[in-house]
């Protein structure tokens, strides 16, 4: 292991040395998709980033595969996904479910990416790591963090590397993105609210002895659920749900014989299987950190929130955490953030995670194989059938119903909503919202009256933040009822004409200005 340029290194017992550069940036603990996405966002703003990951390589174990609409929309606005999301198609997915019941149609406006993107977590993780390294992020694998402690110069992070060698770094901030079983949350002293497990679940890939013995889909019986998905090579991916109680041995290895027995018990007949690729246990244990920030330590992804994996919302929730946190932390490190900007990360993302926990618990309640719940399931089935374009349930599952809290009582009614990807005509030609946000900088978009005499007034107010803010004039857009709008890098409206003044909003987000500069994000995208 070699020293990383630009970092303060402590070799226990060997003294202290500064290797290249001056000062330190951010240590991200956890090299999964959330941690790597935070690192990419920070690096795009020119922040020095070190990612510390316990695993020696990207795990090939099947994990999350679903990115929902709002996470896809936000990723595309930041230049990720490289066309894989089908921008411009609009329309509904037509194949999702709610509590195992088919018929949930998730719709998005025309001009947006696909409503549901199927993407293996392994593929996403590899792509993000490649992009992070290309942007200058240092990714250290095989290093297990053992200590996190705030010190005078920032936060000291201790770890044990390959061969058992101890090493420490000092960073300005630390982001704990090390998953549900990560250590940063406990080492930094974060309190959490937990919901105990009430059900037992299993998952794994196997090959059926009798091909076609289990049909792909969601299958409910009086004894529980079996979810079947065909996988490459002629095998199947199976998940079981037993609602009779929490698992008795959460950490015990799961054998093929036990897994086969559980599948057979639920379906009510013997199901032979072999050649297991991986087997695991899980439950509906849920947890939410009581805050996402303690001083210079922040949490993101499963380190901050855990819920029952129904509806494929875990990865999307973590992605939205990363995209919310990245630009705010970057501006804070660079000295270009307004007072309290970093604290808005907790205020905006923790309620969203609580909502996901609540409605996944509600879905699980509908899945319990109790005959007395049949009328309720029938009612929800009718609701799904009556909303062919998605409706409330689809907006909730996809994250498209999220509206961020307004900054104050004088905020415009549009503040906190997500700006749709409308086509735009500027002095440089035709573009759209996605195209203007790809550079990664906050955007002040002047529309309608804002392109005339009023434009000069807005531009004059924004001049002090020219190093951070991109200002673009565009022709009026039907359906957008304001003449000027401030768009955050994550796609949400930070201010719109019709509420308080522009200058106070800019000051709240980006401080006093004073010539601070943020470069455009590098070109390139995650595929």
């Amino acid at each position: 292991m070699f020293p990383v340029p630009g970092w303060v290194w402590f070799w226990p017992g060997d003294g202290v040395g500064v290797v290249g550069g001056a000062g330190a940036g951010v240590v991200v603990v956890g090299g999964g998709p959330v941690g790597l996405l935070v690192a990419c966002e920070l690096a795009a703003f020119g922040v020095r980033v070190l990612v510390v990951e316990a695993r020696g390589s990207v795990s090939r174990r099947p994990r999350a595969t679903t990115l929902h609409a709002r996470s896809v929309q936000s990723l595309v606005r930041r230049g990720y996904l490289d066309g894989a999301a089908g921008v411009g198609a609009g329309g509904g997915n037509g194949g999702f479910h709610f509590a195992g019941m088919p018929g949930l149609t998730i719709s998005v406006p025309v001009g947006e990416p696909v409503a549901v993107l199927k993407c293996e977590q392994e593929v996403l993780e590899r792509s993000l790591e490649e992009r992070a390294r290309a942007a200058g992020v240092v990714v250290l694998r095989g290093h297990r963090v053992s200590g996190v402690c705030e010190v005078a110069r920032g936060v000291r992070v201790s770890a044990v590397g390959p061969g058992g060698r101890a090493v420490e770094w000092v960073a300005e901030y630390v982001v704990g993105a090390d998953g549900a079983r990560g250590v940063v949350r406990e080492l930094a002293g974060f309190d959490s609210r937990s919901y105990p497990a009430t059900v037992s679940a299993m998952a794994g890939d196997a090959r059926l002895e009798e091909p076609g013995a289990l049909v792909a889909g969601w299958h409910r019986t009086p004894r529980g659920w079996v979810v079947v998905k065909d996988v490459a090579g002629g095998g199947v991916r199976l998940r079981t749900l037993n609602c009779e109680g929490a698992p008795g041995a959460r950490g015990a290895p799961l054998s093929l014989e036990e897994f086969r027995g559980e599948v057979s018990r639920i379906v009510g007949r013997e199901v032979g299987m072999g050649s297991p690729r991986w087997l695991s246990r899980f439950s509906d244990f849920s947890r939410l950190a009581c805050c996402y920030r303690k001083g210079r330590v922040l949490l993101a992804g499963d380190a901050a929130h855990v819920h029952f994996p129904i509806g494929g919302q875990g990865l999307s929730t973590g992605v939205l955490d990363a995209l919310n946190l990245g630009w705010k932390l970057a501006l804070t490190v660079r000295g270009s953030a307004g007072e309290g900007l970093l604290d808005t990360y907790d205020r905006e993302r923790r309620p969203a995670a609580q909502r996901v926990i609540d409605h996944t618990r509600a879905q699980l309640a509908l899945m319990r194989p109790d005959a007395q719940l049949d009328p309720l399931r029938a009612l929800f089935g009718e609701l799904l059938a009556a909303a062919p374009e998605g409706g409330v349930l689809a907006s909730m599952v996809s994250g498209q119903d999220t509206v961020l809290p307004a900054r104050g009582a004088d905020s415009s009614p549009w503040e906190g909503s997500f700006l749709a990807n409308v086509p735009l005509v500027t002095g440089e030609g035709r573009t759209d919202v996605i195209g203007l946000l790809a550079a990664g900088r906050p955007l002040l978009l002047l529309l309608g009256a804002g392109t005339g005499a009023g434009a000069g007034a807005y531009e004059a107010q924004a001049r002090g933040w020219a190093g951070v803010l991109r200002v673009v004039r565009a022709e009026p857009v039907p359906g957008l009822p304001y003449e000027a709008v401030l768009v955050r890098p994550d796609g949400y409206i930070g201010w719109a004409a019709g509420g308080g003044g522009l200058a106070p909003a800019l000051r709240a987000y980006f401080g006093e200005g004073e010539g601070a500069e943020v470069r455009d994000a590098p070109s390139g995208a995650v595929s």
Side-chain angles (χ1 to χ4, degrees):
M1 181 181 63
F2 297 95
V4 178
W7 291 92
V8 182
W9 283 69
F10 293 81
W11 302 95
D14 296 335
V16 180
V18 179
V19 185
V26 176
V27 167
V28 177
V29 182
V34 174
L36 289 169
L37 183 54
V38 170
C40 287
E41 290 297 281
L42 292 169
F45 282 88
V47 175
R48 188 183 298 113
V49 188
L50 172 65
V51 175
V52 183
E53 168 57 45
R55 295 171 300 162
S57 61
V58 175
S59 173
R60 303 194 67 180
R61 189 184 187 93
R63 291 173 293 170
T65 61
T66 301
L67 284 170
H68 278 296
R70 184 48 48 86
S71 59
V72 177
Q73 293 160 6
S74 296
L75 283 169
V76 168
R77 279 159 173 76
R78 284 293 300 110
Y80 298 93
L81 301 181
D82 195 25
V87 176
N93 166 263
F96 214 68
H97 62 88
F98 185 83
M101 294 181 287
L104 183 67
T105 301
I106 298 178
S107 299
V108 297
V110 173
E112 293 292 352
V114 294
V116 179
L117 179 64
K118 288 297 182 179
C119 177
E120 293 285 347
Q121 183 169 323
E122 175 190 353
V123 175
L124 180 63
E125 193 172 315
R126 291 185 188 279
S127 298
L128 287 169
E129 181 169 346
E130 181 180 347
R131 175 161 171 163
R133 290 183 184 274
V137 174
V138 176
V139 181
L140 288 183
R141 290 191 170 273
H143 288 71
R144 190 172 299 277
V145 169
S146 57
V148 175
C149 178
E150 285 206 38
V151 294
R153 286 177 287 178
V155 185
R156 179 177 296 184
V157 180
S158 307
V160 178
R165 186 173 192 183
V167 64
E168 295 179 344
W169 307 272
V170 170
E172 293 179 61
Y173 287 89
V174 168
V175 177
D178 48 346
R181 301 184 184 180
V183 299
V184 172
R185 183 184 62 258
E186 292 188 4
L187 290 173
F190 283 83
D191 293 327
S192 301
R193 179 185 179 187
S194 298
Y195 304 81
T198 65
V199 301
S200 174
M202 300 178 183
D205 283 6
R207 185 178 296 275
L208 299 178
E209 293 178 357
E210 181 184 344
L214 294 174
V215 179
W218 292 67
H219 307 287
R220 179 172 63 89
T221 79
R223 294 164 296 279
W225 286 78
V226 172
V227 184
V228 185
K229 177 184 178 183
D230 295 327
V231 295
V236 292
R237 181 160 300 158
L238 301 170
R239 285 169 289 169
T240 68
L241 175 61
N242 180 348
C243 297
E244 294 179 358
R250 174 67 178 86
L254 176 61
S255 68
L256 175 62
E257 185 62 23
E258 185 180 358
F259 187 51
R260 183 202 62 77
E262 180 72 342
V263 172
S264 300
R265 184 191 68 81
I266 293 175
V267 300
R269 54 185 168 81
E270 288 298 316
V271 178
M273 63 183 70
S275 304
R277 276 193 53 212
W278 60 278
L279 300 171
S280 67
R281 306 174 192 270
F282 61 101
S283 73
D284 61 329
F285 171 81
S286 301
R287 180 181 59 225
L288 178 64
C290 295
C291 62
Y292 281 13
R293 179 190 179 190
K294 285 196 67 177
R296 294 179 175 268
V297 182
L298 301 109
L299 301 178
D302 287 352
H305 46 76
V306 181
H307 60 84
F308 185 62
I310 182 71
Q313 297 168 84
L315 178 57
S316 290
T317 306
V319 161
L320 292 173
D321 288 347
L323 294 176
N324 186 293
L325 173 61
W327 66 277
K328 295 175 180 177
L329 182 55
L331 293 180
T332 300
V333 171
R334 294 180 60 89
S336 304
E339 183 178 356
L341 176 65
L342 194 54
D343 289 324
T344 65
Y345 168 59
D346 176 275
R347 293 199 296 270
E348 291 176 356
R349 290 304 304 156
R350 202 164 64 87
Q354 180 68 69
R355 193 149 190 257
V356 171
I357 289 173
D358 291 344
H359 66 65
T360 52
R361 293 177 71 211
Q363 289 187 66
L364 180 58
L366 282 171
M367 296 177 71
R368 297 182 184 276
D370 184 340
Q372 295 187 30
L373 292 174
D374 287 345
L376 188 59
R377 279 188 282 266
L379 173 60
F380 270 83
E382 291 178 12
L383 294 175
L384 293 174
E389 297 302 319
V392 174
L393 295 180
S395 295
M396 179 180 67
V397 170
S398 65
Q400 295 182 99
D401 66 342
T402 300
V403 176
L404 304 180
R407 289 178 300 106
D410 62 345
S411 298
S412 77
W414 303 285
E415 185 173 318
S417 60
F418 196 76
L419 182 60
N421 183 39
V422 295
L424 298 166
V425 179
T426 72
E428 298 180 359
R430 295 184 179 276
T431 184
D432 57 15
V433 172
I434 289 175
L436 293 180
L437 288 177
R441 298 175 65 182
L443 170 69
L444 178 61
L445 185 59
L446 305 179
L447 302 159
T451 63
Y458 288 122
E459 288 173 330
Q461 293 181 68
R463 194 165 294 131
W465 292 272
V468 176
L469 186 65
R470 182 182 184 186
V471 181
V472 175
R473 295 191 186 195
E475 294 182 4
V477 177
L480 296 188
Y482 33 73
E483 64 182 22
V485 60
L486 174 65
V487 191
R488 304 169 8 156
D490 55 12
Y492 281 90
I493 295 175
W495 170 89
L502 172 60
L506 295 176
R507 194 171 295 114
Y509 283 109
F510 314 122
E512 297 299 327
E514 300 177 355
E517 185 174 354
V518 173
R519 67 184 185 185
D520 285 354
S523 60
V526 172
S527 60

